[in-house]
Amino acid sequence: MNIIFKTAVTGFIFLVLSCANVYPQLDSNYVARYNERFIFSLYQSWRNFDLLITQDGGGDSTGISQLNYIARGNNSSGFGIDYDKIGFSVGWGTPVTESEIKRKGKTTSFNFGGAINAKKFRVEMAYRRYIGFYDNYTSKRDSLFTDSSAFLQQPGMYSRMIKVKGFYFVNRKKRFSYAAAYANTQRQLKTAGSFVFISNFYNYQLKNDSAFIPAKTQSYYNDWKNWNRLNVFGLSFNPGYSVNFVLFKRVFLNLTGSLGVELQYRDYGST
């Protein structure tokens, strides 16, 4: 566990403790609190995680220099726990067959998410990690490639993302509950909305024990042929608006939109 993840977890725990005694006083004509506040859930999810690498130096009319690395962690199983203002979820990759591992390699994945809700703000934290990728474009460089051939595999390829996201809701009339949409601990009774300020900090890291670019295509990438490390930091600030629509007391829909600026730092290299 690296220092960035430790710092993020420590900050998240501090926010949880600081909000332990903050109970939202909202307009009861618009927001109702559930008597039962403990929620345990099991889930399965599917998300597409891939990395597309192309070069723009020319000299490749057939596309053999393109790479499309995919992590076999798209299918994930896990559980989530919500209690009052605090919630978290943990997920891991669903096991695959031996024949799939032989063709596409093995990916280990881990996902963690957490959130706290208060009257005026919400803080979310996410951690995702994947180890082991395969190149979906292997067939472009292998004329004998068939449905049973093994893809180019990068078992040591490592991807990690840490994100902390904060929401501040103006909620002047105290009629809006974002927790009704994403924490399931409150119920929005009538349509209401609020201006919101959203701040987002993230760190994305990608690295490999060898070059991302395989030997057969390194001639197309010149100075980038030995590239095997990427580290990105981002910080954004976005004002916006969020609204909960309630139709016929049965249909519920949340829409949130924001527009702002982002600062990003990228570090590329080879080790």
Side-chain angles (χ1 to χ4, degrees), residues 30-44:
Y30 282 79
V31 179
R33 295 175 61 84
Y34 290 117
N35 292 327
E36 300 295 333
R37 301 177 186 175
F38 179 81
I39 300 172
F40 177 81
S41 58
L42 299 174
Y43 73 87
Q44 282 197 313

Side-chain angles (χ1 to χ4, degrees), residues 141-251:
R141 298 180 298 276
D142 185 355
S143 60
L144 301 179
F145 192 87
T146 67
D147 291 341
S148 61
S149 299
F151 290 84
L152 170 68
Q153 300 170 17
Q154 297 278 19
M157 194 168 175
Y158 171 94
S159 172
R160 190 262 294 141
M161 187 275 294
I162 297 175
K163 178 186 289 186
V164 179
K165 193 171 189 177
F167 301 77
Y168 177 79
F169 300 95
V170 177
N171 207 11
R172 184 171 60 85
K173 294 183 178 181
K174 300 180 181 180
R175 295 177 175 177
F176 172 77
S177 172
Y178 196 73
Y182 295 100
N184 301 313
T185 55
Q186 297 176 342
R187 180 183 176 186
Q188 188 80 47
L189 303 176
K190 300 178 182 179
T191 298
S194 171
F195 286 101
V196 59
F197 297 95
I198 303 173
S199 182
N200 185 39
F201 170 78
Y202 63 89
N203 172 238
Y204 174 71
Q205 186 179 90
L206 179 70
K207 61 183 180 179
N208 196 18
D209 49 13
S210 60
F212 296 137
I213 315 302
K216 288 185 178 181
T217 59
Q218 285 188 353
S219 60
Y220 293 97
Y221 286 86
N222 299 321
D223 294 340
W224 290 87
K225 64 182 180 180
N226 295 319
W227 173 45
N228 71 342
R229 175 175 55 82
L230 170 65
N231 201 16
V232 181
F233 291 89
L235 178 65
S236 65
F237 177 76
N238 309 304
Y241 195 82
S242 183
V243 58
N244 288 335
F245 292 100
V246 181
L247 303 175
F248 312 111
K249 298 183 180 181
R250 293 293 183 269
V251 181

Side-chain angles (χ1 to χ4, degrees), residues 31-127:
V31 179
R33 295 175 61 84
Y34 290 117
N35 292 327
E36 300 295 333
R37 301 177 186 175
F38 179 81
I39 300 172
F40 177 81
S41 58
L42 299 174
Y43 73 87
Q44 282 197 313
S45 66
W46 185 92
R47 57 170 57 94
N48 186 28
F49 188 88
D50 66 343
L51 174 67
L52 180 64
I53 301 177
T54 62
Q55 55 86 23
D56 56 8
D60 180 15
S61 59
T62 60
I64 64 173
S65 65
Q66 296 180 351
L67 303 165
N68 182 212
Y69 286 118
I70 296 179
R72 291 195 49 75
N74 292 339
N75 297 319
S76 176
S77 302
F79 67 90
I81 294 177
D82 291 275
Y83 181 75
D84 200 11
K85 300 174 292 297
I86 304 169
F88 71 90
S89 63
V90 177
W92 52 88
T94 303
V96 296
T97 64
E98 287 296 326
S99 60
E100 286 287 308
I101 294 176
K102 184 178 180 179
R103 286 202 71 206
K104 300 179 179 180
K106 182 178 180 180
T107 296
T108 58
S109 63
F110 176 77
N111 302 295
F112 172 82
I116 57 173
N117 296 277
K119 180 175 64 176
K120 290 281 190 177
F121 68 89
R122 173 181 170 89
V123 177
E124 298 175 347
M125 175 191 167
Y127 176 89

